[in-house]
Amino acid sequence: MKRLTTIGVYGFTAATFIEQLTDARVGLLLDLRQRRGVRGAEYSWANSARLQQALAAADIGYRHVRELAPTTELRQLQYREDDRQGVGKRNRVALASEYAQRYTREILDPFDLGTLVAELPSDSMAALFCVERDPEACHRSLVAARLHAEHDLPVTHLHPH
């Protein structure tokens, strides 16, 4: 049975990130970031090359699904809303409604989720990955909700302890 979880970067160390994935029996990580880097030394482990090395060492597959990443324009829209609300990307708790609507219409609606689902492992969990700590503050929650609604995939969310 195909199952899905989501995970972010913030709040994890490299070790706790891999530990959470391993404990959840994740076999494939789907990277939904446009630019596969994270600012700051604290999260340098999540930059693409280092992350892929750590995943390979833990026997976890990796796939960049750039087609599901928000555009630069959409990210800027969210950043403006964050500024308006006085929150930083690392402590955002919800997506701006305009961002969610436009992401759904411009990115998610045209994407062929059926093909993605067909490629998911059935003997392990797949994880949707981006940077935000809370799924509600990230586009991965929109992808997860659509996969649950349209493909009946059970979805959980991994959080730092």
Side-chain angles (χ1 to χ4, degrees), residues 53-75:
Q53 288 174 342
L55 291 168
D59 200 28
I60 298 170
Y62 173 89
R63 180 171 165 209
H64 184 213
V65 189
R66 186 183 178 107
E67 304 83 9
L68 285 175
T71 61
T72 300
E73 179 190 357
L74 281 174
R75 287 195 344 268

Side-chain angles (χ1 to χ4, degrees), residues 72-127:
T72 300
E73 179 190 357
L74 281 174
R75 287 195 344 268
Q76 295 301 325
L77 183 155
Q78 182 63 58
Y79 297 156
R80 285 191 301 275
E81 181 62 16
D82 291 345
D83 288 345
R84 191 183 72 71
Q85 292 187 13
V87 298
K89 181 167 76 169
R90 293 186 186 195
N91 55 5
R92 176 189 315 137
V93 295
L95 290 170
S97 61
E98 182 183 356
Y99 173 96
Q101 291 166 5
R102 287 191 53 197
Y103 177 84
T104 299
R105 185 176 65 247
E106 297 169 20
I107 308 286
L108 195 51
D109 287 348
F111 187 83
D112 180 7
L113 287 174
T115 298
L116 181 72
V117 169
E119 297 168 355
L120 296 179
S122 54
D123 59 345
S124 65
M125 181 95 67

Side-chain angles (χ1 to χ4, degrees), residues 7-54:
I7 192 167
V9 170
Y10 299 141
F12 286 103
T13 64
T16 60
F17 182 83
I18 294 296
E19 180 182 310
Q20 282 265 23
L21 293 175
T22 302
D23 289 351
R25 299 189 59 238
V26 169
L28 176 64
L29 184 116
L30 301 171
D31 190 339
L32 305 185
R33 299 177 293 174
Q34 180 188 41
R35 294 190 317 234
R36 295 179 290 164
V38 181
R39 290 197 176 126
E42 180 182 4
Y43 295 111
S44 62
W45 59 266
N47 294 333
S48 181
R50 289 181 182 156
L51 176 63
Q52 289 183 61
Q53 288 174 342

